[in-house]
Amino acid sequence: MKLRVVTVLLGCLAAVPFASANAQEKVLNLYSARHYQTDEALYANFTKQTGIKINRIEGKEEELLERIKNEGANSPADVFITVDAARLEIADSLGLFAPVKSKLLEERIPDNLRTPTWMAFSTRARVIVYNKVAVKAEDVQYYEDLASPKLKGQVCSRSGAHPYNLSLGSALISHDGEAKAEEWARGVVANFARSPKGGDTDQLRAVAAGECGVTISNTYYLVRLMRSDKPEDRKVVQAIGVAWPNQKSWGTHVNISGAGVLKNAPNKDAALKFMEYLASDEAQGYFANGNNEWPVVKSAVVKNPELDALGKFKADTLPIGQLAKNTALAQKIFDRAGFR
Ligand code: FE
């Protein structure tokens, strides 16, 4: 008798979280802040392999996180996928993620690109890009160079409050210390050719046009221009040089695309399967190639000549968990230095 009551109760509870899915249908509810068309093939392939249908809810990071928070225990969200370590850290600090235990993921994803909850599935580097006429390559070999008086009036940048720059600031804090990182931010601000505005691509165009001499950009924006047939994009690519920063010190700062399983995920098995799928050689190819990024799994192959043309480099090996944790401090330091 007691057993029957429990069964009925469980039945009721199970019906609450995701009422529209019938018990037989296998689904995964993916909250995604990635908006790359090529991701369609990545997801279709998962459904083909596993029979698990993906319901995708797309939005901006902040909106999606707010939504998951508000949905609380009844949230249908299984996996949250986005770009930038700082944003995944925000989700984690809100307590939204569940620990992920998978031998396969531990084997395939390098230690420094995993945390106990969220992990990286592709990487992008933040490089120095300069105008070949206005700036000498040897003057921009380190992030620290951007604060040198030599580059007075030459630097342009997107907002210091943007997660890409905060993550770089966080790397500088880890390697150079808090005081030096603040000094650096002040030096960069003193070197501005103009107040921060626009995205990375806008900075690349400004450097090519000679409005400023040097900037920092994520590699996929560069590769996007390199793959473009538009004459104006070709001109940009011809006018700029790319430096891999800090090759003789701690390596070039690398950020990630990544995902985590949500604490209240109603389809935990499907969520884990999806995470493991993202680390498969096949998915790694789709995942990284879609946005001109590098796979995190060593055996994965990306057929992307323009990305290959960037060449090999020494990447910073700072654990992404540590990188993400320092972004709040980076924000404070940048604020104090006037890098907004
Ligand atoms: Fe971006």
Side-chain angles (χ1 to χ4, degrees), residues 130-146:
Y130 58 96
N131 181 300
K132 285 193 281 193
V133 175
V135 170
K136 282 192 234 132
E138 65 252 41
D139 289 339
V140 288
Q141 293 300 309
Y142 296 87
Y143 294 113
E144 289 85 347
D145 289 339
L146 297 173

Side-chain angles (χ1 to χ4, degrees), residues 41 53 62 93 95 115 127 130 134 170 230 261 278 285:
K53 192 183 144 217
E62 297 77 16
S93 65
T115 78
V127 292
Y130 58 96
S170 168
K230 291 184 190 152
V261 175
L278 287 182

Side-chain angles (χ1 to χ4, degrees), residues 56-107:
R56 193 158 20 132
I57 289 95
E58 289 202 331
K60 288 200 178 250
E61 294 79 12
E62 297 77 16
E63 291 163 11
L64 288 177
L65 290 181
E66 197 55 36
R67 180 166 168 173
I68 296 168
K69 234 171 54 184
N70 292 338
E71 286 166 347
N74 291 332
S75 175
D78 291 310
V79 171
F80 175 60
I81 188 165
T82 187
V83 298
D84 199 279
R87 289 171 172 147
L88 284 152
E89 164 60 21
I90 292 171
D92 204 21
S93 65
L94 291 170
L96 300 181
F97 286 144
V100 171
K101 283 196 189 80
S102 158
K103 257 220 147 65
L104 188 138
L105 289 170
E106 275 171 34
E107 276 166 20

Side-chain angles (χ1 to χ4, degrees), residues 25-338:
E25 191 184 27
K26 288 199 285 178
V27 293
L28 172 82
N29 301 312
L30 179 65
Y31 281 41
S32 168
R34 272 175 65 100
H35 310 275
Y36 312 127
Q37 278 182 355
T38 38
D39 282 356
E40 300 291 339
L42 171 78
Y43 300 144
N45 192 45
F46 173 72
T47 302
K48 206 174 97 192
Q49 279 185 18
T50 61
I52 299 169
K53 192 183 144 217
I54 295 181
N55 295 319
R56 193 158 20 132
I57 289 95
E58 289 202 331
K60 288 200 178 250
E61 294 79 12
E62 297 77 16
E63 291 163 11
L64 288 177
L65 290 181
E66 197 55 36
R67 180 166 168 173
I68 296 168
K69 234 171 54 184
N70 292 338
E71 286 166 347
N74 291 332
S75 175
D78 291 310
V79 171
F80 175 60
I81 188 165
T82 187
V83 298
D84 199 279
R87 289 171 172 147
L88 284 152
E89 164 60 21
I90 292 171
D92 204 21
S93 65
L94 291 170
L96 300 181
F97 286 144
V100 171
K101 283 196 189 80
S102 158
K103 257 220 147 65
L104 188 138
L105 289 170
E106 275 171 34
E107 276 166 20
R108 289 180 70 81
I109 300 180
D111 284 357
N112 68 310
L113 297 176
R114 264 189 287 121
T115 78
T117 46
W118 54 273
M119 57 203 68
F121 291 104
S122 67
T123 63
R124 63 274 294 279
R126 197 141 183 82
V127 292
I128 296 179
V129 178
Y130 58 96
N131 181 300
K132 285 193 281 193
V133 175
V135 170
K136 282 192 234 132
E138 65 252 41
D139 289 339
V140 288
Q141 293 300 309
Y142 296 87
Y143 294 113
E144 289 85 347
D145 289 339
L146 297 173
S148 159
K150 262 192 190 173
L151 295 176
K152 185 110 197 138
Q154 298 267 42
V155 177
C156 55
S157 173
R158 80 188 305 160
S159 166
H162 193 277
Y164 299 164
N165 282 337
L166 292 176
S167 290
L168 171 61
S170 168
L172 284 158
I173 292 168
S174 285
H175 294 294
D176 296 348
E178 206 178 318
K180 284 230 166 95
E182 182 160 347
E183 215 177 284
W184 176 83
R186 285 184 197 284
V188 169
V189 169
N191 283 343
F192 278 158
R194 61 179 193 193
S195 296
K197 62 173 180 182
D200 284 5
T201 305
D202 298 306
Q203 316 310 318
L204 297 175
R205 293 193 195 289
V207 166
E211 285 166 41
C212 41
V214 63
T215 191
I216 33 179
S217 170
N218 283 354
T219 36
Y220 55 85
Y221 293 112
L222 264 172
V223 178
R224 216 179 272 169
L225 290 176
M226 288 159 74
R227 293 178 82 166
S228 167
D229 298 326
K230 291 184 190 152
E232 64 265 34
D233 293 342
R234 310 256 22 109
K235 262 195 201 158
V236 170
V237 173
Q238 277 156 18
I240 58 181
V242 180
W244 294 108
N246 297 57
Q247 291 302 285
K248 288 184 182 149
S249 60
W250 39 270
T252 297
H253 164 61
V254 162
N255 210 322
I256 57 134
S257 271
V261 175
L262 293 149
K263 195 172 61 187
N264 296 315
N267 307 295
K268 280 227 165 62
D269 288 351
L272 187 61
K273 267 196 188 122
F274 181 71
M275 298 285 277
E276 291 185 338
Y277 163 75
L278 287 182
S280 68
D281 279 8
E282 201 181 0
Q284 281 280 292
Y286 279 120
F287 193 84
N289 224 343
N291 191 36
N292 301 310
E293 295 178 79
W294 293 283
V296 292
V297 175
K298 288 213 171 66
S299 56
V301 180
V302 169
K303 288 186 193 114
N304 186 333
E306 286 84 2
L307 183 63
D308 289 345
L310 283 183
K312 294 218 180 308
F313 65 101
K314 178 171 122 182
D316 186 7
T317 55
L318 195 68
I320 48 165
Q322 191 187 330
L323 183 80
K325 285 228 154 59
N326 265 339
T327 49
L329 180 57
Q331 172 88 73
K332 273 188 203 148
I333 286 176
F334 283 6
D335 267 353
R336 282 203 296 266

